[in-house]
Amino acid sequence: MHKKFIQIAAVLGAVTVILGAFGAHALKQVLPTSALATFETAVRYQFYHVFAILLTGILYKEYMNTFVQRAGHLFIIGIVLFSGSLYLLTYLEATETIGYRGIGAITPIGGLCFISGWVLLAIGVKSK
């Protein structure tokens, strides 16, 4: 499993850099400041948790338990829900699509996945 986490972190890391560059160069010209800030938050938290997934993959070799494994999965789910919902909100604002603003309710669920992942990682490395 640790190789999968490292591979996923590598792919997500590349995607994150691409999205960050896209936001800094292309979106800066067309988005309002509030939408750009939302996009930058998504990229920032995605990048933080790419490192969390990488760390989980490295630690899993030494601490092979369900807590560490679930932490990695929660970090991945958190990226999809937290950053994904913010990317979608940015898209909806950029295209002036109305009626889908409720998508923002998904963001805190992604945040809870991040928090839970960190807690499980702490428990996992404590209980060997």
Side-chain angles (χ1 to χ4, degrees):
M1 177 54 75
H2 67 283
K3 285 184 180 180
K4 282 287 185 201
F5 283 140
I6 293 170
Q7 290 170 336
I8 290 168
V11 170
L12 285 173
V15 169
T16 305
V17 172
I18 292 166
L19 288 170
F22 179 67
H25 299 288
L27 293 182
K28 198 173 204 174
Q29 310 302 321
V30 296
L31 286 181
T33 307
S34 63
L36 189 59
T38 300
F39 187 84
E40 288 172 349
T41 299
V43 171
R44 184 172 51 253
Y45 275 82
Q46 181 171 333
F47 218 5
Y48 294 158
H49 289 88
V50 162
F51 290 115
I53 297 166
L54 181 62
L55 176 65
T56 301
I58 293 167
L59 289 173
Y60 189 74
K61 185 174 182 181
E62 181 69 26
Y63 302 95
M64 281 191 218
N65 61 58
T66 308
F67 295 111
V68 175
Q69 187 175 15
R70 287 186 182 156
H73 291 133
L74 283 168
F75 292 141
I76 294 166
I77 294 166
I79 287 173
V80 170
L81 295 178
F82 185 89
S83 295
S85 65
L86 292 180
Y87 294 136
L88 185 55
L89 284 172
T90 302
Y91 172 78
L92 293 173
E93 188 165 341
T95 59
E96 298 178 356
T97 305
I98 57 171
Y100 294 101
R101 301 287 183 223
I103 274 303
I106 295 171
T107 309
I109 297 169
L112 287 174
C113 289
F114 288 151
I115 293 165
S116 299
W118 286 109
V119 170
L120 288 181
L121 188 61
I123 293 168
V125 297
K126 185 174 182 184
S127 61
K128 183 171 180 183

